[in-house]
Amino acid sequence: MFDGPEPIYLQIAQMIRAQVLAGELKEEEQVMSTTQFATTFRINPATAQKAFAGLVDEGVLYKRRGLGMFVAPGARERLLDDHRKSYFEEVLAPALQQADLLGISTDDVVAYVLGANGRRKPTTEES
């Protein structure tokens, strides 16, 4: 399952972030313990612990003493905000720079986004 080039603990953390973003793990919902995680995915418990510790540091998870790890209140919104910011910085800004280099006008970009090229139809608010 964890066969990407990144260290396994980073892949685990990304998997949990994705579950929170998708709403599969909700605020205040308990997540598997590090022992359960290690047993289920046949990994070292220390690897799972490292992933969980990073998510605690990010504010995605928190620990209830004696009970385990839970999804932190506001975790989904924080993750959405982070992903939106990185989308603009890592995806949209380079795409707009490329459009500029290719001589694609801002009007053409906006028209494409709004569906003028058949990609999607504008909503009633957009038309």
Side-chain angles (χ1 to χ4, degrees):
M1 165 147 197
F2 301 110
D3 56 359
E6 305 89 15
I8 292 173
Y9 78 94
L10 292 177
Q11 293 179 58
I12 293 168
Q14 187 54 37
M15 182 181 80
I16 293 171
R17 282 188 211 97
Q19 290 173 331
V20 171
L21 277 169
E24 296 168 16
L25 287 173
K26 301 193 181 329
E27 289 184 10
E28 301 294 342
E29 185 174 341
Q30 187 170 15
V31 297
M32 270 193 259
S33 71
T34 54
T35 303
Q36 289 171 318
F37 209 91
T39 302
T40 300
F41 294 105
R42 296 182 177 179
I43 60 170
N44 187 318
T47 301
Q49 178 57 40
K50 189 170 184 178
F52 284 32
L55 292 168
V56 168
D57 290 345
E58 291 174 26
V60 174
L61 300 179
Y62 73 97
K63 185 175 184 172
R64 286 189 193 162
R65 189 177 184 111
L67 296 176
M69 293 287 195
F70 292 79
V71 177
R76 185 170 187 274
E77 272 308 310
R78 277 192 297 285
L79 288 171
L80 282 171
D81 288 344
D82 290 348
H83 279 70
R84 287 178 184 130
K85 183 179 179 181
S86 68
Y87 173 81
F88 283 108
E89 293 172 357
E90 297 170 14
V91 177
L92 196 53
L96 293 174
Q97 288 173 343
Q98 184 69 24
D100 189 44
L101 287 172
L102 296 172
I104 300 171
S105 72
T106 302
D107 289 341
D108 287 342
V109 171
V110 170
Y112 186 84
V113 169
L114 293 178
N117 291 322
R119 188 162 166 252
R120 70 175 179 87
K121 295 184 181 210
T123 64
T124 52
E125 294 174 5
E126 295 172 338
S127 22

